[in-house]
Amino acid sequence: VGGDGPRGTGDRRGLKLLAGGFVGYRILHNLGVDATAVHRLGGTQLRLAASTWTQLAPHHSTSFQIGVNLADSSYMRWHFGETAEGGVKDTYAGANWHWQASRKYELHTRIRFSRLSSTVGASPYVATRDGANLTTAPVYGFSIP
């Protein structure tokens, strides 16, 4: 992937190198904040989030998260066109449900709603400012002796 303009629909293949890091801090027993920074070809993105979680019943828990994604000018121009400036890319809120079916098997389900900022949403490459996704993933865990 290369070039100075926004990616086209055919630019989704190939190896993409990422560099970054994350930090999390637990404020209370069920309230935390996280920050994740990722740099890739095309710019840098910073995700800031706050989350809370609770145990519903044995083996069932939920969590809720709100956050914001920030990006530098390079990232915004790469993804949204030459007029995009750095700043808030989007905001989001979501809920998660976690079920531990056994010691080794779990099921994670997440729904997330997001909204692009007004500057990004005005890009000719954006069809709609609002988004939602639902993800369900089975998980198998093991330990190495």
Side-chain angles (χ1 to χ4, degrees), residues 51-135:
S51 57
T52 184
W53 52 91
T54 187
Q55 190 79 24
L56 293 175
H59 311 291
H60 294 271
S61 62
T62 60
S63 63
F64 301 93
Q65 186 177 55
I66 59 170
V68 62
N69 288 308
L70 308 169
D72 66 4
S73 295
S74 298
Y75 179 95
M76 296 291 241
R77 288 186 187 123
W78 178 263
H79 292 278
F80 301 106
E82 289 300 317
T83 59
E85 294 295 324
V88 175
K89 178 184 160 237
D90 66 0
T91 55
Y92 62 91
N96 304 291
W97 171 61
H98 172 84
W99 172 41
Q100 184 180 12
S102 70
R103 288 185 52 201
K104 293 188 177 192
Y105 295 98
E106 300 176 1
L107 184 68
H108 297 264
T109 300
R110 176 180 84 176
I111 187 164
R112 179 175 283 182
F113 301 96
S114 62
R115 181 166 179 87
L116 292 172
S117 69
S118 57
T119 6
V120 173
S123 167
Y125 302 102
V126 173
T128 180
R129 287 181 59 193
D130 299 312
N133 66 40
L134 175 66
T135 308

Side-chain angles (χ1 to χ4, degrees), residues 14-67:
L15 180 66
K16 294 174 180 63
L17 298 176
L18 305 173
F22 62 91
V23 64
Y25 181 72
R26 186 179 282 195
I27 298 169
L28 299 171
H29 72 90
N30 67 339
L31 180 64
V33 291
D34 300 295
T36 305
V38 176
H39 178 76
R40 66 180 111 203
L41 179 65
T44 303
Q45 187 174 2
L46 175 65
R47 172 174 287 171
L48 304 172
S51 57
T52 184
W53 52 91
T54 187
Q55 190 79 24
L56 293 175
H59 311 291
H60 294 271
S61 62
T62 60
S63 63
F64 301 93
Q65 186 177 55
I66 59 170

